[in-house]
Short mmCIF file of all heavy atoms in Angstrom, two decimals:
data_model
loop_
_atom_site.label_atom_id
_atom_site.label_comp_id
_atom_site.label_asym_id
_atom_site.label_seq_id
_atom_site.Cartn_x
_atom_site.Cartn_y
_atom_site.Cartn_z
N HIS A 1243 68.29 98.77 142.07
CA HIS A 1243 69.68 99.20 142.16
C HIS A 1243 69.76 100.63 142.62
O HIS A 1243 68.82 101.40 142.48
CB HIS A 1243 70.35 99.12 140.78
CG HIS A 1243 70.91 97.78 140.47
ND1 HIS A 1243 71.69 97.57 139.36
CD2 HIS A 1243 70.83 96.59 141.11
CE1 HIS A 1243 72.06 96.29 139.33
NE2 HIS A 1243 71.54 95.68 140.37
N ARG A 1244 70.93 100.97 143.10
CA ARG A 1244 71.20 102.36 143.42
C ARG A 1244 72.58 102.69 142.90
O ARG A 1244 73.53 101.93 143.10
CB ARG A 1244 71.17 102.54 144.95
CG ARG A 1244 71.31 103.97 145.33
CD ARG A 1244 71.28 104.10 146.84
NE ARG A 1244 71.07 105.51 147.19
CZ ARG A 1244 70.97 105.95 148.43
NH1 ARG A 1244 71.04 105.12 149.44
NH2 ARG A 1244 70.79 107.23 148.65
N THR A 1245 72.68 103.80 142.18
CA THR A 1245 73.98 104.27 141.75
C THR A 1245 74.60 105.03 142.91
O THR A 1245 73.97 105.90 143.50
CB THR A 1245 73.84 105.19 140.52
OG1 THR A 1245 73.35 104.41 139.43
CG2 THR A 1245 75.18 105.81 140.14
N MET A 1254 77.09 100.62 140.83
CA MET A 1254 75.73 100.31 141.26
C MET A 1254 75.75 99.27 142.35
O MET A 1254 76.55 98.35 142.32
CB MET A 1254 74.93 99.79 140.08
CG MET A 1254 74.78 100.83 138.98
SD MET A 1254 73.74 100.23 137.66
CE MET A 1254 74.58 98.76 137.18
N HIS A 1276 67.27 103.10 140.81
CA HIS A 1276 66.63 102.77 139.55
C HIS A 1276 66.25 101.30 139.54
O HIS A 1276 66.79 100.51 140.31
CB HIS A 1276 67.54 103.08 138.35
CG HIS A 1276 68.89 102.44 138.42
ND1 HIS A 1276 69.95 103.03 139.05
CD2 HIS A 1276 69.33 101.25 137.96
CE1 HIS A 1276 71.00 102.22 138.96
NE2 HIS A 1276 70.66 101.14 138.31
N MET A 1278 66.69 98.12 137.61
CA MET A 1278 67.61 97.62 136.60
C MET A 1278 66.86 96.56 135.82
O MET A 1278 66.44 95.55 136.38
CB MET A 1278 68.80 97.01 137.33
CG MET A 1278 69.83 96.56 136.39
SD MET A 1278 70.82 98.00 135.99
CE MET A 1278 72.26 97.14 135.44
N PRO B 347 73.82 101.25 132.54
CA PRO B 347 72.44 101.60 132.23
C PRO B 347 71.97 102.96 132.75
O PRO B 347 70.97 103.48 132.29
CB PRO B 347 71.65 100.49 132.93
CG PRO B 347 72.52 100.11 134.08
CD PRO B 347 73.94 100.43 133.74
N ASP B 348 72.68 103.51 133.70
CA ASP B 348 72.17 104.71 134.38
C ASP B 348 73.04 105.94 134.09
O ASP B 348 72.62 106.87 133.39
CB ASP B 348 72.09 104.42 135.89
CG ASP B 348 71.45 105.55 136.68
OD1 ASP B 348 70.53 106.21 136.14
OD2 ASP B 348 71.85 105.78 137.83
CU1 LIG C 447 71.68 99.27 137.90
#
Side-chain angles (χ1 to χ4, degrees):
Chain A
H1243 274 188
R1244 186 181 195 178
T1245 294
M1254 297 184 303
H1276 55 272
M1278 184 84 159
Chain B
D348 186 34

